[in-house]
């Protein structure tokens, strides 16, 4: 079997942890950097600039952390590149609005389904 001409796994980086937090809060990432808890382990590039991937130690072990950008196409592109770097398990931390009065700010919501129509996934 011939190898693919473009093989994402060739980008694998040894310092990138397998477990990854996708953090939509840039202020949290900035604060963790200022406190010296995050160190850059990879740098992704797109037409709008650089997108660092950080590593950190936690009580759960080594974690990768990155901001997925704004919008599904950029988030998808960055996620695919982080997978190519070697991350295999993910959790996302973000925020969303609600149309239901019983959901209060700061609450935790675990989605069990989604309606897709954002321009990246199939329709």
């Amino acid at each position: 079997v011939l190898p693919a001409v473009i093989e994402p796994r060739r980008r694998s980086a040894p310092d990138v942890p397998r477990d990854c937090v996708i953090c939509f809060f840039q202020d949290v990432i900035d604060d963790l950097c200022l406190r010296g808890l995050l160190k850059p382990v990879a740098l992704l590039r797109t037409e709008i600039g650089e997108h660092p991937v950080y590593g950190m130690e936690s009580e759960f072990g080594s974690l990768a952390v990155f901001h997925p950008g704004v919008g599904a196409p950029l988030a998808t592109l960055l996620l695919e590149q982080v997978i190519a770097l070697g991350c295999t398990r993910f959790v996302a931390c973000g925020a969303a609005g609600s149309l239901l009065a019983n959901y209060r700010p700061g609450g935790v919501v675990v989605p069990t389904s989604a309606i897709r129509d954002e321009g990246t996934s199939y329709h």
Side-chain angles (χ1 to χ4, degrees), residues 63-109:
L63 297 172
V65 179
F66 78 100
H67 190 292
V70 176
L74 180 58
T76 300
L77 172 73
L78 295 176
L79 177 62
E80 288 180 352
Q81 290 184 19
V82 170
I83 291 169
L85 289 173
C87 293
T88 58
R89 295 192 306 175
F90 299 87
V91 63
C93 179
S98 173
L99 299 175
L100 302 175
N102 59 333
Y103 289 133
R104 300 287 180 221
V108 175
V109 176

Side-chain angles (χ1 to χ4, degrees), residues 57-61:
E57 294 302 320
S58 77
E59 61 185 280
F60 306 105

